[in-house]
Amino acid sequence: MTTRQVKGQGDGSDPGGSDTGGSDTGGSDPGGTAEGGGGRLPATAWAVLGLLSFPGERTGYELKKWADASLTFFYWSPAISQIYAELRRLEGRGYASSRVAAQGDLRNKRLYAITDAGRAALARWADTADAGPAVLKHPLVLRVWLGHLADPAGLRSQLRAHLDRTKAQLREIAHAQEVSREAGRWPYPEVALRWSERQHRAELELAEAMLADLERLWEPGDEAPGEEALGDEAPGDQAARGS
């Protein structure tokens, strides 16, 4: 068995650069950087290390599948390329190790595991007194905010698509909860999944209420407020005067 220690590089990308709606599956990191043993690491590195903190060794592909079935519901799911980048970074810090496992006629696979130093550093990071505020970036609400430029039919279609997507995510959460219950040894991930279920149900309620608000704006006989109805100043100008 061989253990590899390789120095990794982060991508430093900006979550504002992508706009996909729902769970972010790109290479950006919404969590920024955070202090831990040995210096600053992006929050995604801690998330990947967290996946390794559960029993067993895993390939990068297996970590990606697990992130898609857990992290994506309450944080985000890194792209497979970033998972491998973070694994290299974690190995460089001595927080993770890897070994090549033979598979007979199949291609050899590299298995990753957390080290004692990585577990201690992760515990220190998890015990950080202030995790910081939750980050809310809602692409659909941004489009509704720009409703004076939008076509009502287009907004209605986007809201209905968002409702369908949220319902599909609820079904995925229910499946993840079932898998977690069958495993019977992950109580804290189960708590996080129950929170995710409540959050997505609340999202459904909020989206349905928003659609009802817009339908009232678009009632037949009423002129939907468009760009020409805004006047010469923006809401921000009024707020600035009132402050």
Side-chain angles (χ1 to χ4, degrees), residues 100-220:
V100 175
Q103 298 189 94
D105 294 336
L106 300 177
R107 180 181 177 183
N108 293 347
K109 62 181 179 180
R110 185 170 293 278
L111 296 170
Y112 296 86
I114 193 170
T115 64
D116 290 342
R119 190 174 297 277
L122 183 62
R124 288 194 297 271
W125 179 81
D127 284 339
T128 301
D130 183 10
V135 177
L136 176 61
K137 292 187 177 182
H138 206 306
L140 179 60
V141 179
L142 179 60
R143 285 161 173 76
V144 171
W145 182 67
L146 294 171
H148 58 287
L149 301 174
D151 172 49
L155 270 183
R156 183 183 289 113
S157 176
Q158 290 190 61
L159 268 161
R160 288 175 175 166
H162 177 66
L163 287 167
D164 290 342
R165 182 167 51 245
T166 304
K167 291 173 183 176
Q169 289 170 334
L170 272 168
R171 291 191 292 270
E172 293 174 10
I173 291 170
H175 175 68
Q177 288 175 311
E178 181 179 348
V179 171
S180 184
R181 282 192 296 270
E182 289 175 356
R185 61 181 185 273
W186 296 329
Y188 292 103
E190 285 186 42
V191 170
L193 284 171
R194 284 196 292 272
W195 178 90
S196 300
E197 180 187 9
R198 298 182 192 111
Q199 190 272 337
H200 280 71
R201 291 194 184 283
E203 179 67 23
L204 272 182
E205 183 179 344
L206 288 168
E208 288 166 351
M210 177 176 280
L211 181 57
D213 288 343
L214 290 172
E215 294 293 359
R216 282 191 289 272
L217 281 178
W218 301 330
E219 284 179 358

Side-chain angles (χ1 to χ4, degrees), residues 45-83:
W46 295 114
V48 172
L49 191 59
L51 291 170
L52 289 175
S53 71
F54 294 89
E57 298 174 301
R58 291 175 179 83
T59 65
Y61 175 72
E62 288 168 339
L63 291 173
K64 171 59 177 171
K65 287 181 64 177
W66 196 6
D68 287 346
S70 57
L71 291 178
T72 191
F73 300 127
F74 56 86
Y75 189 66
W76 78 309
S77 182
I80 186 67
S81 59
Q82 189 167 20
I83 285 179

Side-chain angles (χ1 to χ4, degrees), residues 77-98:
S77 182
I80 186 67
S81 59
Q82 189 167 20
I83 285 179
Y84 280 111
E86 298 301 347
L87 286 169
R88 291 192 296 270
R89 188 205 303 267
L90 292 167
E91 284 194 280
R93 293 290 184 92
Y95 292 168
S97 63
S98 69

